[in-house]
Amino acid sequence: MSIKEIKSRLSILTVLAHYDLQVDRNNMLKCPFHEDAKASMRVYPETNTVYCFAGSCKVDNLDVIDFVMQMDNSTKHTAIKKCERLLGEQGEMPKLQPEPKPAPVPVTHAFNAH
């Protein structure tokens, strides 16, 4: 699976849930990368990214792979493999296949007018 596919298909919310991180009603949470008295990290579900607004934070903008890499203090390769597993746990949507067109029904004109 390509990095682009992972980034577009793996929900940042799935990643956050994996680490038991809860998002509030404003899509904010306390940043796990520094001491945070109040929520400073914003979650952008439409792009599967997060951004920490705290100036003292070592990170700012993270996608799903970068988030996993930072949380686990791992290599990019290890983070990609974990994201692939998380994507499987997320319950991939089956790819929609075009339905086969039904065979044409022969038209018979067996209408008898009396």
Side-chain angles (χ1 to χ4, degrees):
M1 180 174 295
S2 74
I3 291 173
K4 185 177 179 179
E5 284 179 301
I6 292 169
K7 289 180 180 183
S8 69
R9 294 171 64 189
L10 179 59
S11 168
I12 190 68
L13 298 174
T14 298
V15 174
L16 295 173
H18 173 75
Y19 293 104
D20 294 321
L21 297 171
Q22 299 296 318
V23 178
D24 70 15
R25 64 177 183 213
N26 297 317
N27 283 343
M28 299 288 290
L29 71 141
K30 289 184 178 181
C31 181
F33 304 113
H34 63 89
E35 289 295 319
D36 215 356
K38 62 179 184 169
S40 65
M41 180 171 275
R42 179 151 173 84
V43 178
Y44 298 93
E46 61 281 351
T47 58
N48 290 321
T49 58
V50 296
Y51 185 88
C52 184
F53 290 94
S56 61
C57 190
K58 66 179 180 176
V59 301
D60 52 20
N61 190 34
L62 299 173
D63 60 35
V64 290
I65 295 171
D66 293 333
F67 192 92
V68 168
M69 191 168 66
Q70 290 293 323
M71 284 297 289
D72 293 351
N73 195 25
S74 68
T75 64
K76 190 157 194 145
H77 176 76
T78 301
I80 289 168
K81 292 300 180 191
K82 185 169 189 172
C83 286
E84 287 176 335
R85 287 192 303 276
L86 289 174
L87 186 58
E89 292 171 13
Q90 174 178 276
E92 288 185 69
M93 294 297 292
K95 291 183 180 177
L96 295 177
Q97 299 294 325
E99 290 187 27
K101 293 183 180 180
V105 178
V107 177
T108 58
H109 297 283
F111 181 78
N112 278 335
H114 293 186

